[in-house]
Amino acid sequence: MSHHIVEAQGLRYSYPDGTPALEDISLRVEHGEAVALVGENGAGKSTLLRHFTGCLFPAAGTLRIGGLPVAKEHLTEIRRAVGMVFQNPDDQLFMPTVFEDAAFGLLNLGVSEAQLEGKVMGALETVGAAHLRSRPPYRLSQGEKRAVSIAGVLVMQPDILVMDEPTSNLDPRSRRRLIELLKTFKHTRIIATHDLDFALEVCGRTIVIHKGRVTADGPTREVFGDEKILRLSNLEQPAALRKCPACGG
Amino acid sequence: MGQLAQNLTDIGYMDTLAAGFTRLHRLDPRAKLLTTALFIVAVVSFGKYEVSALLPFLLYPVYLAAQGRLPVGHLLKKVLLVSPFAVVVGIFNPFLDSGVLLRVGDFGVSGGWVSFASILLRFFLTVSAALLLLALTGMNSICEALLRLGVPKAFVVQLLFLNRYLFSLTAEAESMSRARALRSAGRGGMGFGVFIQILGHLLLKTLDRAERVYRAMLCRGFDGHIRVARFSNIGRPELLFCGAWTALFIVFRFVNLPVALGQAVTGLLK
Amino acid sequence: MHMADALLSPAVGGTMWTVSGGLLAYSAKKVREEADDRKVPLMGVLGAFIFAAQMINFTIPATGSSGHMGGGMILAILLGPWSAFLVMASVLTVQALFFADGGLLALGCNIFNLGFFTCFVAYPLIYKKIAGDGLDGRRIMLGSTLAGIAGLQLGAFGVVVQTLASGISELPFKTFVMLMQPIHLAIGLVEGLVTAGVVSFILKARPEILAAATERKPIGVSVKGALAGLTAAAVLTGAALSWFASANPDGLEWAMLRTSGKEELESGAKVHGLLASLQEKTSFLPDYGFKKAEVVHEPAAEEGGTQAAPEAGEQAPWPAVDAGTSVAGLVGGLLTLALAGLIGFALRRRNAAA
């Protein structure tokens, strides 16, 4: 199952104007792992995610997804293997109705219309959005939008799920539903987030990025236990790990 | 700002109406589009002094509104509120054309007034037909119909994207102008400088959004072609709808029913 | 300055639909040939931007009125003429549907007036000539201001010509032009200044966007060929529809016949024969100009509604020529209105019960 592995070695990237965004990122994510990517605004998380989908190419170093280097000639395979859920669902849900949006990727893969219905509805059911099928996306709530954008990615049966701030703008109940949903997935999951409580629940491992470098990489509980690292990245220890202010326990 | 917010709710409301489940809503959009087009051509094909023969055409919007369970009051208000260039230009007719055209007893009505009334009636018929088409069909289905009727795909895709994002962008425009209004200490309207700033920022946001949407499309295998899967069909209800209305429009167009009716009634009275 | 269905004859409306439809198909082909994937979402979202931006108003000092942006020129500068035309057409289509701006038949006119003149005349012939391919702020300002004015002047003139050709409005050409052009000089100036303002905002904030836009290929040589084809199509459609209208006592021809009827009254019997034969050639509409209603009112009492129809044969006369038919029309009209209302109520009741 080598194709579920993400591996970066000395990855570097600078924006066209010369601003360095990633400086020497090395990491390896194994099959089926759930990894949280945390760090302050502008740390380089989104830039790194863009490399995973082949929207950017490394300036130096290597990035391999399922054994294939991320480069122009492997784009189709890489985008087939990696499903990306965008931070703002409005950017991702561009088709007229929920059904058509979920079908967009499948049609690009050349799935026949006979198979389309079953696959799309299967994905919509997984995220609990089957009843929304003929609604236009801009009329949905944030939680519904998030669910539908995940369905649009799931339907393509990716090996690796990449998510950018999936809990942003969600009300507590929608957030809870998302957490339960993500826990059921068997995909390799890489999730950029500021929501450390969410990371603690969903991801067994956390990677901290600070100014384009990896400053910590390990089991989530351990990483979040190191307050110095967290403070350096403008992060705050999740409530679940803090000592109880009332009893000191 | 009031107007922007109003437009926003308006657009949303038209969308809600189009999501109805009456038989008219379920009709293939091509049937509704073509019938409405025929209706408009029939209405405008009358001579400029025609009023009475136009009246039977009211049946079409009345039927659509009633059968589609649409809120008549709201739609009427919309039709009347539309800034009527037609009315502004038409109002000159009574002053320019004063020959008596219509006589009822000793009372003469000039051609100008008759043609003005005709303009208003045409305006009402054509505008209400267009609005009802949208309220019964929705933008997305209209696009589907256009595509199936052979309109270039680049244009249909453009319409779909526009429709998809006009809600988001209008909401952004609205919140930007509201943010300005809240900090302008009651100093009324927006100055030119601020206006340009708001437009400029909105445009930059738009361009960034376009870039993100493009990336999202690439991530799901976009290769320059939008593939659309659709499942509607022309069946008996569609043929019946088109056929019946076409027949009625032809009758309305070539037989002046109100005059015939009036003659029968006045004849009886004599 | 949206053209409206109510002022249009089918001949003019149909011709403009054909012209705009042809331009649309050709632009779509051009955009496809450019094969720039990125443009698909870019055009779509920019269309939504124009749609939203048109609703933001600014106050014009010392006038109490407000101005807003049209947007055609900005689109042309950012996207090039072909894509800009498609986007503008899509914005106008959505407006015609959502806000009933103008109407569906008039859409052809509106796309032409607001899209064609801006994208294919003002942009290449004025903006491009002045602003060139460089990123000189002052030249861009001047170019977009002048192009904005020119585009709207042409558009307004388009409205005048289309309205008069339709013959529904009584406004004489001169009055209408004097009414429209100065107003649109002001509107065009606003449009030009707004375009210049936004473009120079972008030039300062993100010059690379404009640089990328100017790098795109200019309009190809084929523009002339396309325009020639288009003109031919327009003339053909116009002619066909006019012929249809003349075989049909309505629309375009109708206005002309009315005028000749008036002359007939004024110039007396000498030219009557000449005009009558002319009319017979152009149409089988009997030569009772409706203005004659006054004159023929007396004999009408004896002959009923058919006094003026020696040539008309079986043709039913204009319903409003005499008092009898006028009353009948009025009574019948009211009855029709009542019936339509009743049908509506009945349908609603039935639906509510169902």
Side-chain angles (χ1 to χ4, degrees):
Chain A
M1 291 285 224
S2 68
H3 55 287
H4 293 210
I5 291 170
V6 177
E7 190 172 24
Q9 279 295 332
L11 182 62
R12 279 170 198 277
Y13 182 79
S14 301
Y15 282 110
D17 61 1
T19 322
L22 301 177
E23 311 196 52
D24 193 16
I25 298 268
S26 295
L27 52 84
R28 183 182 160 91
V29 178
E30 300 287 340
H31 162 61
E33 256 191 309
V35 178
L37 214 55
V38 302
E40 75 277 5
N41 290 332
K45 300 187 300 283
S46 298
T47 311
L48 184 57
L49 293 193
R50 254 177 239 176
H51 281 82
F52 292 157
T53 51
C55 289
L56 291 178
F57 299 111
T62 57
L63 174 64
R64 299 173 84 83
I65 303 232
L68 288 174
V70 174
K72 276 226 164 64
E73 58 268 30
H74 302 302
L75 269 188
T76 318
E77 291 95 324
I78 284 173
R79 287 184 178 152
R80 178 90 177 73
V82 179
M84 168 87 196
V85 179
F86 280 63
Q87 178 175 4
N88 183 352
D90 274 325
D91 294 337
Q92 191 172 346
L93 305 175
F94 44 79
M95 291 297 278
T97 63
V98 166
F99 183 91
E100 284 170 89
D101 200 277
F104 177 83
L106 280 187
L107 287 170
N108 287 335
L109 290 179
V111 168
S112 73
E113 295 208 0
Q115 289 179 302
L116 199 64
E117 172 90 14
K119 290 196 172 198
V120 168
M121 289 318 286
L124 286 176
E125 266 154 32
T126 308
V127 300
H131 60 293
L132 303 172
R133 64 170 292 169
S134 46
R135 296 267 298 276
Y138 53 90
R139 308 277 286 170
L140 306 177
S141 72
Q142 281 293 330
E144 289 168 336
K145 280 183 189 174
R146 182 74 61 192
V148 173
S149 50
I150 292 174
V153 169
L154 278 188
V155 78
M156 299 175 74
Q157 295 177 308
D159 305 313
I160 301 157
L161 268 182
V162 176
M163 299 190 167
D164 195 357
E165 299 283 0
T167 57
S168 61
N169 290 323
L170 291 190
D171 59 38
R173 195 148 164 221
S174 312
R175 176 174 169 275
R176 176 51 51 194
R177 257 190 232 127
L178 178 69
I179 290 175
E180 299 310 326
L181 177 68
L182 291 182
K183 280 184 182 171
T184 64
F185 287 174
K186 301 280 177 270
H187 312 78
T188 305
R189 283 148 288 168
I190 302 176
I191 306 173
T193 185
H194 285 313
D195 183 348
L196 299 197
D197 285 291
F198 161 84
L200 197 60
E201 274 198 68
V202 176
C203 308
R205 176 177 159 201
T206 292
I207 297 173
V208 183
I209 295 185
H210 176 59
K211 291 189 176 161
R213 289 169 197 279
V214 175
T215 50
D217 182 353
T220 302
R221 250 164 211 284
E222 273 173 36
V223 172
F224 288 176
D226 188 340
E227 284 199 54
K228 220 177 81 192
I229 292 275
L230 292 187
R231 210 174 304 121
L232 188 70
S233 286
N234 284 356
L235 297 168
E236 216 176 38
Q237 210 170 36
L241 288 183
R242 258 175 271 164
K243 287 190 176 134
C244 169
C247 61
Chain B
M1 275 40 75
Q3 192 215 341
L4 245 170
Q6 180 61 44
N7 284 341
L8 204 58
T9 21
D10 236 38
I11 297 168
Y13 190 54
M14 287 306 266
D15 241 37
T16 313
L17 292 182
F21 286 103
T22 70
R23 253 182 301 159
L24 280 183
H25 282 92
R26 284 198 303 266
L27 225 49
D28 186 290
R30 282 172 288 177
K32 289 179 266 188
L33 191 68
L34 290 176
T35 310
T36 303
L38 187 68
F39 170 82
I40 291 173
V41 170
V43 165
V44 299
S45 71
F46 280 99
K48 66 192 280 191
Y49 291 116
E50 191 54 80
V51 176
S52 58
L54 281 170
L55 290 171
F57 283 92
L58 282 168
L59 194 62
Y60 183 63
V62 164
Y63 172 81
L64 291 185
Q67 194 72 356
R69 299 189 197 192
L70 298 173
V72 176
H74 174 84
L75 292 172
L76 271 181
K77 215 169 68 192
K78 252 191 109 158
V79 172
L80 296 179
L81 280 180
V82 170
S83 79
F85 176 71
V87 175
V88 175
V89 176
I91 193 71
F92 286 99
N93 281 11
F95 301 107
L96 296 168
D97 178 4
S98 53
V100 172
L101 178 65
L102 239 172
R103 263 178 194 285
V104 180
D106 292 333
F107 185 69
V109 181
S110 77
W113 282 108
V114 175
S115 61
F116 181 48
S118 180
I119 287 178
L120 292 186
L121 193 53
R122 283 155 203 265
F123 170 75
F124 180 82
L125 287 170
T126 51
V127 166
S128 62
L131 277 178
L132 287 165
L133 171 69
L134 180 68
L136 284 174
T137 317
M139 200 55 209
N140 291 331
S141 301
I142 290 180
C143 289
E144 176 197 340
L146 290 176
L147 193 64
R148 291 251 194 131
L149 292 170
V151 172
K153 199 168 170 189
F155 183 61
V156 176
V157 167
Q158 166 63 25
L159 276 176
L160 283 173
F161 264 93
L162 168 58
N163 187 52
R164 167 64 186 86
Y165 283 104
L166 63 83
F167 206 80
S168 317
L169 277 165
T170 310
E172 251 172 59
E174 200 268 341
S175 70
M176 283 172 91
S177 17
R178 190 150 35 90
R180 183 213 66 92
L182 288 176
R183 290 186 291 154
S184 62
R187 276 197 14 249
M190 192 187 298
F192 186 75
V194 179
F195 172 72
I196 293 296
Q197 288 292 317
I198 288 189
L199 278 194
H201 278 291
L202 190 61
L203 180 56
L204 285 184
K205 280 194 199 177
T206 306
L207 295 170
D208 287 342
R209 182 187 285 266
E211 198 52 41
R212 292 196 305 272
V213 173
Y214 178 61
R215 273 206 298 274
M217 296 171 78
L218 285 183
C219 286
R220 288 198 281 156
F222 176 63
D223 54 4
H225 300 280
I226 302 268
R227 295 169 178 81
V228 197
R230 295 287 190 172
F231 308 100
S232 62
N233 268 310
I234 295 280
R236 278 243 321 255
E238 281 78 16
L239 293 178
L240 192 68
F241 181 83
C242 286
W245 281 111
T246 307
L248 277 175
F249 294 158
I250 290 174
V251 173
F252 293 164
R253 177 62 190 82
F254 294 105
V255 183
N256 191 332
L257 290 175
V259 166
L261 185 68
Q263 273 165 341
V265 171
T266 47
L268 274 180
L269 290 179
K270 271 175 197 167
Chain C
M1 70 159 224
H2 282 45
M3 188 68 195
D5 280 6
L7 299 175
L8 267 182
S9 72
V12 176
T15 307
M16 296 315 294
W17 254 90
T18 314
V19 172
S20 292
L23 278 170
L24 213 60
Y26 195 74
S27 300
K29 186 170 159 260
K30 277 285 172 189
V31 172
R32 210 169 50 238
E33 280 167 9
E34 281 177 23
D36 185 353
D37 294 356
R38 204 172 285 265
K39 265 196 173 176
V40 176
L42 179 62
M43 284 165 58
V45 184
L46 274 178
F49 163 75
I50 298 296
F51 187 89
Q54 285 187 349
M55 294 182 218
I56 309 179
N57 291 308
F58 71 95
T59 314
I60 299 174
T63 59
S65 58
S66 63
H68 67 90
M69 181 186 74
M73 189 54 65
I74 289 180
L75 288 174
I77 294 171
L78 288 174
L79 293 169
W82 306 111
S83 305
F85 183 75
L86 276 189
V87 175
M88 206 57 207
S90 73
V91 171
L92 290 166
T93 307
V94 169
Q95 282 172 339
L97 284 165
F98 273 113
F99 302 135
D101 267 349
L104 295 182
L105 183 70
L107 187 57
C109 298
N110 286 324
I111 291 178
F112 190 80
N113 296 340
L114 294 168
F116 173 80
F117 289 125
T118 304
C119 299
F120 298 124
V121 181
Y123 172 74
L125 299 183
I126 297 177
Y127 177 82
K128 268 288 174 192
K129 291 275 184 287
I130 296 175
D133 288 335
L135 293 179
D136 182 317
R138 258 174 305 170
R139 296 179 71 155
I140 288 181
M141 289 279 279
L142 184 69
S144 39
T145 310
L146 291 180
I149 295 174
L152 271 157
Q153 282 296 303
L154 289 166
F157 193 66
V159 172
V160 171
V161 171
Q162 289 148 12
T163 307
L164 290 173
S166 293
I168 309 281
S169 161
E170 289 285 341
L171 275 174
F173 177 74
K174 240 191 217 161
T175 321
F176 204 3
V177 167
M178 291 308 288
L179 218 63
M180 290 289 280
Q181 302 306 133
I183 296 176
H184 283 89
L185 193 62
I187 299 178
L189 184 64
V190 167
E191 172 70 10
L193 289 175
V194 171
T195 308
V198 173
V199 172
S200 47
F201 178 95
I202 300 291
L203 191 62
K204 275 194 206 108
R206 299 265 292 276
E208 76 276 8
I209 292 171
L210 283 181
T214 42
E215 268 170 29
R216 291 207 187 90
K217 273 173 275 165
I219 322 180
V221 199
S222 55
V223 143
K224 273 180 207 154
L227 284 183
L230 209 68
T231 317
V235 170
L236 272 176
T237 331
L241 286 173
S242 302
W243 176 80
F244 178 74
S246 73
N248 214 330
D250 294 310
L252 253 189
E253 287 305 297
W254 210 93
M256 285 154 60
L257 287 178
R258 246 196 77 256
T259 325
S260 58
K262 210 185 321 186
E263 283 167 14
E264 192 179 325
L265 261 184
E266 287 160 2
S267 52
K270 276 186 208 165
V271 283
H272 182 227
L274 181 76
L275 277 170
S277 65
L278 194 91
Q279 266 183 358
E280 256 172 343
K281 273 180 201 145
T282 51
S283 147
F284 61 79
L285 179 74
D287 67 338
Y288 47 85
F290 303 132
K291 296 275 172 65
K292 269 160 61 178
E294 276 175 299
V295 186
V296 297
H297 183 57
E298 291 310 314
E302 304 155 20
E303 294 182 28
T306 50
Q307 88 291 10
E311 307 132 276
E314 301 296 310
Q315 279 272 312
W318 181 251
V321 186
D322 73 315
T325 26
S326 295
V327 173
L330 212 63
V331 171
L334 288 174
L335 280 173
T336 311
L337 270 180
L339 266 177
L342 263 176
I343 291 171
F345 270 112
L347 282 172
R348 279 193 96 79
R349 286 289 288 274
R350 210 190 64 192
N351 277 333

